[in-house]
Amino acid sequence: MPYFTKLLLFIFCLVLLVESRKHRRRRWTSQLEVQKASHIYKKNHDVTKTQKGKTEQLLRVDDHDFTMRPAFGGPAIPVGVDVQVESLDSISEVDMDFTMTLYLRHYWKDERLSFPSTTNKSMTFDGRLVKKIWVPDVFFVHSKRSFIHDTTTDNIMLRVFPDGHVLYSMRITVTAMCNMDFSRFPLDSQTCSLELESYAYTDEDLMLYWKNGNESLKTDEKISLSQFLIQKFHTTSRLAFYSSTGWYNRLYINFTLRRHIFFFLLQTYFPATLMVMLSWVSFWIDRRAVPARVSLGITTVLTMSTIITGVNASMPRVSYIKAVDIYLWVSFVFVFLSVLEYAAVNYLTTVQERKERKLREKFPCTCGIPHSKTMMLDGNYSESDANSLAGYTRSQMVPEEEKQEKMVVHLAMSNASNSSRKRGLKGHVGLRIIQNTHAIDKYSRLIFPGTYIFFNLIYWSVFS
């Protein structure tokens, strides 16, 4: 038993010896790593690491209540603003808004952030410090959507100068409302405004102003839009009054856009004009070709309806008439009148044929047969019929015994008289209809193009 106890004590001592050696080895390794790290730190010394935890102390962020504006209780703090427009992304006629990406910068002085500096250099921070100090509460009036870009981090920059002047810049995309007037669409120009204003501070606490007047607004020279030409940017400012809260300073970024007309010339005006000209082709088609003229008229009417529907589908439902509506509906009226013109021609042609049929029934045609033989073979003609056809009265009648001999002579001599009488009758009844029917097409070939050209001259001189 003592032998077994001694063995256990020996094993226990051996385990303690091994563990102590492992512990000394770990301690020696950790000391070596610390020495290496300290050597690297001394070799690559970073100033920001030495000032870690001292930035807030240098700006005395914890010593002041930054929920209050600078010089609280005193005069209004002036906050200068300047803007650089990066892009004008889109203009929507249907939603009546625009989307713009810009750099918004504020300038003010907060003596609470002043710090001693021998080099008089500013200190630059990102958005993490912005949450701990006071910044202007500027918002976009009449904005629908807006956001600060956050890729890869929040696009916010804060620059503090030793005397307490602050530059606060951020990159924003905003979609704002724009009241558009489409009475001259698509020959229109639109003026839109992006409005900036303090939400909480009235003009007695905060005075917003453009830092350098019109020079406060900068634009990228590469800005372009597919449907608009950017004519000018300019700035204005005025006071805005709210009955419940008071007067506020409001800044305006105004820009004027003029619409490119070439797209609408190709998509709307040229097709409408060609449809009107196509409807005029029916004036040169024979009036008896009913399927050709009717199908041409119906095709042009339906095409004009499709063009009008397509244009209105991409526009807001405004209650007033647009310039393009005037052009399209006048063109539609011209196409519709060309269909009515053929309806009038076809109706007058039907009336003409009906009257010619009645004339043929009243005066049967004896063409190709000698009049003498015709009258001699037909014994049904009475004396009064022969005399009326020959143009003679009863006082000019011959004796009874000469009637058979003279009748042929009378009818033969009256051939020219009957022909002239029939021509005179047709000239008063039938030929007048024929001339009027042809005159409708003939005059339409001149009246329709002339009137449409005159309308175009007036339209483009008024709206262009």
Side-chain angles (χ1 to χ4, degrees), residues 259-277:
R259 196 182 305 273
H260 293 299
I261 187 60
F262 189 71
F263 171 80
F264 296 94
L265 288 177
L266 292 179
Q267 298 295 324
T268 304
Y269 287 95
F270 284 166
T273 303
L274 291 177
M275 287 300 104
V276 175
M277 296 174 65

Side-chain angles (χ1 to χ4, degrees), residues 38-80:
S38 63
H39 176 71
I40 294 173
Y41 177 78
K42 292 179 181 179
K43 186 176 181 180
N44 299 322
H45 179 67
D46 192 348
V47 178
T48 59
K49 292 182 178 181
T50 61
Q51 293 184 354
K52 184 177 181 181
K54 296 183 179 180
T55 300
E56 296 181 358
Q57 183 178 355
L58 180 65
L59 297 178
R60 302 193 301 277
V61 173
D62 296 330
D63 297 342
H64 303 281
D65 184 7
F66 281 97
T67 59
M68 302 292 184
R69 69 172 178 86
F72 182 78
I77 174 176
V79 176

Side-chain angles (χ1 to χ4, degrees), residues 20-271:
S20 63
R21 287 184 178 181
K22 289 182 179 180
H23 179 70
R24 285 197 300 269
R25 184 175 296 177
R26 291 196 199 100
R27 186 176 180 182
W28 178 78
T29 304
S30 62
Q31 289 178 354
L32 183 62
E33 290 177 353
V34 169
Q35 290 177 0
K36 289 182 179 180
S38 63
H39 176 71
I40 294 173
Y41 177 78
K42 292 179 181 179
K43 186 176 181 180
N44 299 322
H45 179 67
D46 192 348
V47 178
T48 59
K49 292 182 178 181
T50 61
Q51 293 184 354
K52 184 177 181 181
K54 296 183 179 180
T55 300
E56 296 181 358
Q57 183 178 355
L58 180 65
L59 297 178
R60 302 193 301 277
V61 173
D62 296 330
D63 297 342
H64 303 281
D65 184 7
F66 281 97
T67 59
M68 302 292 184
R69 69 172 178 86
F72 182 78
I77 174 176
V79 176
V81 176
D82 70 32
V83 172
Q84 180 174 347
V85 179
E86 180 183 3
S87 64
L88 193 58
D89 302 324
S90 64
I91 307 290
S92 175
E93 291 88 357
V94 177
D95 299 327
M96 285 194 180
D97 59 22
F98 65 92
T99 302
M100 177 186 294
T101 300
L102 51 89
Y103 296 95
L104 178 61
R105 305 185 183 97
H106 305 83
Y107 303 84
W108 73 94
K109 184 177 182 180
D110 191 345
E111 295 182 353
R112 296 172 295 184
L113 296 176
S114 60
F115 60 91
S117 175
T118 57
T119 59
N120 200 28
K121 291 185 178 179
S122 63
M123 299 177 63
T124 302
F125 307 95
D126 57 16
R128 285 171 285 191
L129 185 62
V130 173
K131 300 177 181 179
K132 299 181 179 181
I133 66 172
W134 181 91
V135 293
D137 59 338
V138 175
F139 78 105
F140 296 100
V141 185
H142 302 143
S143 66
K144 298 181 178 180
R145 296 174 299 276
S146 61
F147 63 91
I148 299 175
H149 290 259
D150 56 359
T151 305
T152 57
T153 59
D154 292 340
N155 295 173
I156 297 176
M157 185 268 288
L158 187 71
R159 183 170 296 167
V160 183
F161 294 84
D163 59 353
H165 280 89
V166 181
L167 166 60
Y168 175 45
S169 176
M170 49 190 166
R171 182 168 174 254
I172 302 175
T173 294
V174 56
T175 300
M177 183 178 64
C178 178
N179 293 322
M180 301 182 184
D181 182 13
F182 298 106
S183 58
R184 299 176 66 90
F185 177 87
L187 305 169
D188 59 333
S189 59
Q190 304 293 341
T191 300
C192 299
S193 298
L194 184 63
E195 306 172 12
L196 296 86
E197 182 181 304
S198 172
Y199 191 84
Y201 298 100
T202 63
D203 61 339
E204 296 178 354
D205 292 321
L206 189 145
M207 183 181 67
L208 278 179
Y209 69 97
W210 289 112
K211 189 174 185 297
N212 297 312
N214 283 331
E215 298 298 325
S216 302
L217 181 61
K218 304 291 184 181
T219 58
D220 193 340
E221 296 179 354
K222 298 181 180 179
I223 294 178
S224 62
L225 294 171
S226 59
Q227 291 191 26
F228 291 92
L229 172 65
I230 303 175
Q231 291 186 323
K232 65 176 180 179
F233 278 90
H234 65 280
T235 61
T236 55
S237 61
R238 66 187 65 167
L239 289 174
F241 177 73
Y242 297 90
S243 59
S244 300
T245 54
W247 293 89
Y248 294 82
N249 294 111
R250 183 177 295 182
L251 306 181
Y252 295 82
I253 302 173
N254 304 310
F255 55 95
T256 304
L257 307 172
R258 184 168 183 82
R259 196 182 305 273
H260 293 299
I261 187 60
F262 189 71
F263 171 80
F264 296 94
L265 288 177
L266 292 179
Q267 298 295 324
T268 304
Y269 287 95
F270 284 166

Side-chain angles (χ1 to χ4, degrees), residues 326-378:
I326 296 175
Y327 192 90
L328 292 179
W329 280 105
V330 170
S331 300
F332 182 83
V333 168
F334 271 88
V335 172
F336 187 73
L337 288 178
S338 67
V339 178
L340 294 183
E341 185 270 348
Y342 177 64
V345 170
N346 189 50
Y347 173 75
L348 293 178
T349 302
T350 305
V351 173
Q352 169 197 346
E353 293 176 352
R354 187 182 300 117
K355 292 190 176 183
E356 287 180 348
R357 192 180 304 112
K358 291 181 180 180
L359 289 175
R360 285 195 298 269
E361 292 175 356
K362 186 175 182 180
F363 300 101
C365 180
T366 56
C367 302
I369 302 176
H371 291 278
S372 58
K373 294 181 180 180
T374 302
M375 298 304 298
M376 290 174 66
L377 294 173
D378 190 358

